[in-house]
Amino acid sequence: MLKRYLIELGTGIDQHGQDPTRAAQKAVKDAISHSYLTGLREIVGLTDFNAMVVKVKVAVPYPERVRPDEVLAVIPFGRKSLEVVPGGLVTEGMVLPELGDATPEILMANAAVTVWLEVGE
């Protein structure tokens, strides 16, 4: 039986390049940087951090352009899954071709990272 241990939220922005994957990666990094999972080892007794289940939900503009493996790669441990949904924010910046811009769009993504543990009843 899976029991939820932690939920963390994060925001990520790709200011140049219009890459929703980079915005999503930054949102996930932001979320996981807000937590330190000492309780998994010290209270729950988890010895293998790859045993935790990490479910990630990201809301981002242009969700069809997100490269899931690259987003999940920022999470160092666990059995990971990703759900990408439309959302986030697009706002206007400026075009700097030398930074990879094709349009003036700035993309913002939001992420929820939930850690679950397999526990007995």
PDB file of all heavy atoms in Angstrom, residues 4-9 53-57 112-116:
ATOM      1  N   ARG A   4       1.328   8.574   1.167  1.00  0.00           N
ATOM      2  CA  ARG A   4       1.977   9.833   0.794  1.00  0.00           C
ATOM      3  C   ARG A   4       2.824  10.331   1.965  1.00  0.00           C
ATOM      4  O   ARG A   4       2.379  10.404   3.098  1.00  0.00           O
ATOM      5  CB  ARG A   4       0.909  10.850   0.410  1.00  0.00           C
ATOM      6  CG  ARG A   4       1.454  12.111  -0.160  1.00  0.00           C
ATOM      7  CD  ARG A   4       0.373  13.025  -0.654  1.00  0.00           C
ATOM      8  NE  ARG A   4      -0.754  13.044   0.269  1.00  0.00           N
ATOM      9  CZ  ARG A   4      -2.010  13.229  -0.105  1.00  0.00           C
ATOM     10  NH1 ARG A   4      -2.306  13.408  -1.351  1.00  0.00           N
ATOM     11  NH2 ARG A   4      -2.972  13.235   0.782  1.00  0.00           N
ATOM     12  N   TYR A   5       4.057  10.696   1.661  1.00  0.00           N
ATOM     13  CA  TYR A   5       4.993  11.181   2.663  1.00  0.00           C
ATOM     14  C   TYR A   5       5.218  12.694   2.552  1.00  0.00           C
ATOM     15  O   TYR A   5       5.369  13.378   3.547  1.00  0.00           O
ATOM     16  CB  TYR A   5       6.327  10.439   2.513  1.00  0.00           C
ATOM     17  CG  TYR A   5       7.368  10.870   3.507  1.00  0.00           C
ATOM     18  CD1 TYR A   5       7.341  10.385   4.809  1.00  0.00           C
ATOM     19  CD2 TYR A   5       8.367  11.760   3.159  1.00  0.00           C
ATOM     20  CE1 TYR A   5       8.289  10.774   5.738  1.00  0.00           C
ATOM     21  CE2 TYR A   5       9.316  12.159   4.083  1.00  0.00           C
ATOM     22  CZ  TYR A   5       9.273  11.663   5.366  1.00  0.00           C
ATOM     23  OH  TYR A   5      10.206  12.060   6.283  1.00  0.00           O
ATOM     24  N   LEU A   6       5.238  13.218   1.327  1.00  0.00           N
ATOM     25  CA  LEU A   6       5.632  14.615   1.117  1.00  0.00           C
ATOM     26  C   LEU A   6       5.028  15.149  -0.172  1.00  0.00           C
ATOM     27  O   LEU A   6       4.940  14.419  -1.166  1.00  0.00           O
ATOM     28  CB  LEU A   6       7.164  14.687   1.008  1.00  0.00           C
ATOM     29  CG  LEU A   6       7.773  16.009   0.592  1.00  0.00           C
ATOM     30  CD1 LEU A   6       7.944  16.894   1.818  1.00  0.00           C
ATOM     31  CD2 LEU A   6       9.103  15.792  -0.072  1.00  0.00           C
ATOM     32  N   ILE A   7       4.641  16.420  -0.146  1.00  0.00           N
ATOM     33  CA  ILE A   7       4.271  17.146  -1.367  1.00  0.00           C
ATOM     34  C   ILE A   7       5.057  18.452  -1.353  1.00  0.00           C
ATOM     35  O   ILE A   7       5.024  19.184  -0.357  1.00  0.00           O
ATOM     36  CB  ILE A   7       2.769  17.483  -1.432  1.00  0.00           C
ATOM     37  CG1 ILE A   7       1.925  16.222  -1.371  1.00  0.00           C
ATOM     38  CG2 ILE A   7       2.455  18.280  -2.701  1.00  0.00           C
ATOM     39  CD1 ILE A   7       0.437  16.503  -1.219  1.00  0.00           C
ATOM     40  N   GLU A   8       5.778  18.729  -2.421  1.00  0.00           N
ATOM     41  CA  GLU A   8       6.496  19.995  -2.562  1.00  0.00           C
ATOM     42  C   GLU A   8       6.097  20.635  -3.888  1.00  0.00           C
ATOM     43  O   GLU A   8       5.859  19.941  -4.878  1.00  0.00           O
ATOM     44  CB  GLU A   8       8.011  19.795  -2.525  1.00  0.00           C
ATOM     45  CG  GLU A   8       8.576  19.552  -1.162  1.00  0.00           C
ATOM     46  CD  GLU A   8       8.523  20.766  -0.234  1.00  0.00           C
ATOM     47  OE1 GLU A   8       8.254  21.899  -0.682  1.00  0.00           O
ATOM     48  OE2 GLU A   8       8.750  20.562   0.972  1.00  0.00           O
ATOM     49  N   LEU A   9       6.052  21.958  -3.900  1.00  0.00           N
ATOM     50  CA  LEU A   9       5.651  22.717  -5.082  1.00  0.00           C
ATOM     51  C   LEU A   9       6.801  23.598  -5.545  1.00  0.00           C
ATOM     52  O   LEU A   9       7.587  24.075  -4.719  1.00  0.00           O
ATOM     53  CB  LEU A   9       4.437  23.583  -4.749  1.00  0.00           C
ATOM     54  CG  LEU A   9       3.257  22.839  -4.130  1.00  0.00           C
ATOM     55  CD1 LEU A   9       2.183  23.814  -3.696  1.00  0.00           C
ATOM     56  CD2 LEU A   9       2.702  21.807  -5.093  1.00  0.00           C
ATOM     57  N   VAL A  53       8.437   6.142  -4.223  1.00  0.00           N
ATOM     58  CA  VAL A  53       7.738   6.436  -5.464  1.00  0.00           C
ATOM     59  C   VAL A  53       7.607   7.951  -5.554  1.00  0.00           C
ATOM     60  O   VAL A  53       7.107   8.590  -4.626  1.00  0.00           O
ATOM     61  CB  VAL A  53       6.349   5.763  -5.493  1.00  0.00           C
ATOM     62  CG1 VAL A  53       5.562   6.184  -6.718  1.00  0.00           C
ATOM     63  CG2 VAL A  53       6.503   4.247  -5.429  1.00  0.00           C
ATOM     64  N   VAL A  54       8.078   8.523  -6.650  1.00  0.00           N
ATOM     65  CA  VAL A  54       8.051   9.976  -6.830  1.00  0.00           C
ATOM     66  C   VAL A  54       7.156  10.284  -8.029  1.00  0.00           C
ATOM     67  O   VAL A  54       7.476   9.933  -9.163  1.00  0.00           O
ATOM     68  CB  VAL A  54       9.470  10.545  -7.057  1.00  0.00           C
ATOM     69  CG1 VAL A  54       9.415  12.061  -7.180  1.00  0.00           C
ATOM     70  CG2 VAL A  54      10.412  10.111  -5.942  1.00  0.00           C
ATOM     71  N   LYS A  55       6.041  10.931  -7.737  1.00  0.00           N
ATOM     72  CA  LYS A  55       5.097  11.308  -8.790  1.00  0.00           C
ATOM     73  C   LYS A  55       5.211  12.812  -9.003  1.00  0.00           C
ATOM     74  O   LYS A  55       5.098  13.594  -8.056  1.00  0.00           O
ATOM     75  CB  LYS A  55       3.674  10.926  -8.404  1.00  0.00           C
ATOM     76  CG  LYS A  55       3.483   9.427  -8.275  1.00  0.00           C
ATOM     77  CD  LYS A  55       2.057   9.065  -7.948  1.00  0.00           C
ATOM     78  CE  LYS A  55       1.887   7.557  -7.822  1.00  0.00           C
ATOM     79  NZ  LYS A  55       0.497   7.187  -7.545  1.00  0.00           N
ATOM     80  N   VAL A  56       5.425  13.187 -10.246  1.00  0.00           N
ATOM     81  CA  VAL A  56       5.608  14.588 -10.599  1.00  0.00           C
ATOM     82  C   VAL A  56       4.481  15.006 -11.526  1.00  0.00           C
ATOM     83  O   VAL A  56       4.169  14.308 -12.491  1.00  0.00           O
ATOM     84  CB  VAL A  56       6.967  14.813 -11.300  1.00  0.00           C
ATOM     85  CG1 VAL A  56       7.143  16.261 -11.706  1.00  0.00           C
ATOM     86  CG2 VAL A  56       8.116  14.349 -10.415  1.00  0.00           C
ATOM     87  N   LYS A  57       3.887  16.147 -11.213  1.00  0.00           N
ATOM     88  CA  LYS A  57       2.884  16.741 -12.106  1.00  0.00           C
ATOM     89  C   LYS A  57       3.378  18.137 -12.447  1.00  0.00           C
ATOM     90  O   LYS A  57       3.700  18.923 -11.556  1.00  0.00           O
ATOM     91  CB  LYS A  57       1.525  16.813 -11.420  1.00  0.00           C
ATOM     92  CG  LYS A  57       0.418  17.313 -12.331  1.00  0.00           C
ATOM     93  CD  LYS A  57      -0.941  17.187 -11.658  1.00  0.00           C
ATOM     94  CE  LYS A  57      -2.069  17.488 -12.605  1.00  0.00           C
ATOM     95  NZ  LYS A  57      -3.380  17.293 -11.960  1.00  0.00           N
ATOM     96  N   ALA A 112       4.354  19.966  -8.999  1.00  0.00           N
ATOM     97  CA  ALA A 112       4.049  19.335  -7.713  1.00  0.00           C
ATOM     98  C   ALA A 112       4.784  18.008  -7.703  1.00  0.00           C
ATOM     99  O   ALA A 112       4.603  17.177  -8.599  1.00  0.00           O
ATOM    100  CB  ALA A 112       2.550  19.118  -7.547  1.00  0.00           C
ATOM    101  N   VAL A 113       5.644  17.833  -6.705  1.00  0.00           N
ATOM    102  CA  VAL A 113       6.408  16.599  -6.552  1.00  0.00           C
ATOM    103  C   VAL A 113       5.889  15.907  -5.295  1.00  0.00           C
ATOM    104  O   VAL A 113       5.934  16.479  -4.205  1.00  0.00           O
ATOM    105  CB  VAL A 113       7.919  16.872  -6.437  1.00  0.00           C
ATOM    106  CG1 VAL A 113       8.692  15.579  -6.211  1.00  0.00           C
ATOM    107  CG2 VAL A 113       8.424  17.596  -7.682  1.00  0.00           C
ATOM    108  N   THR A 114       5.382  14.701  -5.460  1.00  0.00           N
ATOM    109  CA  THR A 114       4.823  13.950  -4.338  1.00  0.00           C
ATOM    110  C   THR A 114       5.645  12.674  -4.142  1.00  0.00           C
ATOM    111  O   THR A 114       5.896  11.946  -5.096  1.00  0.00           O
ATOM    112  CB  THR A 114       3.354  13.586  -4.598  1.00  0.00           C
ATOM    113  OG1 THR A 114       2.626  14.779  -4.914  1.00  0.00           O
ATOM    114  CG2 THR A 114       2.725  12.942  -3.376  1.00  0.00           C
ATOM    115  N   VAL A 115       6.058  12.452  -2.895  1.00  0.00           N
ATOM    116  CA  VAL A 115       6.821  11.255  -2.545  1.00  0.00           C
ATOM    117  C   VAL A 115       5.894  10.308  -1.792  1.00  0.00           C
ATOM    118  O   VAL A 115       5.241  10.700  -0.818  1.00  0.00           O
ATOM    119  CB  VAL A 115       8.051  11.610  -1.679  1.00  0.00           C
ATOM    120  CG1 VAL A 115       8.756  10.344  -1.196  1.00  0.00           C
ATOM    121  CG2 VAL A 115       9.008  12.503  -2.464  1.00  0.00           C
ATOM    122  N   TRP A 116       5.857   9.075  -2.259  1.00  0.00           N
ATOM    123  CA  TRP A 116       5.036   8.017  -1.662  1.00  0.00           C
ATOM    124  C   TRP A 116       5.962   6.906  -1.186  1.00  0.00           C
ATOM    125  O   TRP A 116       7.007   6.660  -1.778  1.00  0.00           O
ATOM    126  CB  TRP A 116       4.081   7.443  -2.702  1.00  0.00           C
ATOM    127  CG  TRP A 116       3.113   8.426  -3.284  1.00  0.00           C
ATOM    128  CD1 TRP A 116       3.372   9.356  -4.256  1.00  0.00           C
ATOM    129  CD2 TRP A 116       1.750   8.591  -2.933  1.00  0.00           C
ATOM    130  NE1 TRP A 116       2.223  10.065  -4.528  1.00  0.00           N
ATOM    131  CE2 TRP A 116       1.217   9.618  -3.728  1.00  0.00           C
ATOM    132  CE3 TRP A 116       0.919   7.938  -2.036  1.00  0.00           C
ATOM    133  CZ2 TRP A 116      -0.099  10.031  -3.663  1.00  0.00           C
ATOM    134  CZ3 TRP A 116      -0.411   8.356  -1.949  1.00  0.00           C
ATOM    135  CH2 TRP A 116      -0.905   9.374  -2.756  1.00  0.00           C
TER     136      TRP A 116
END
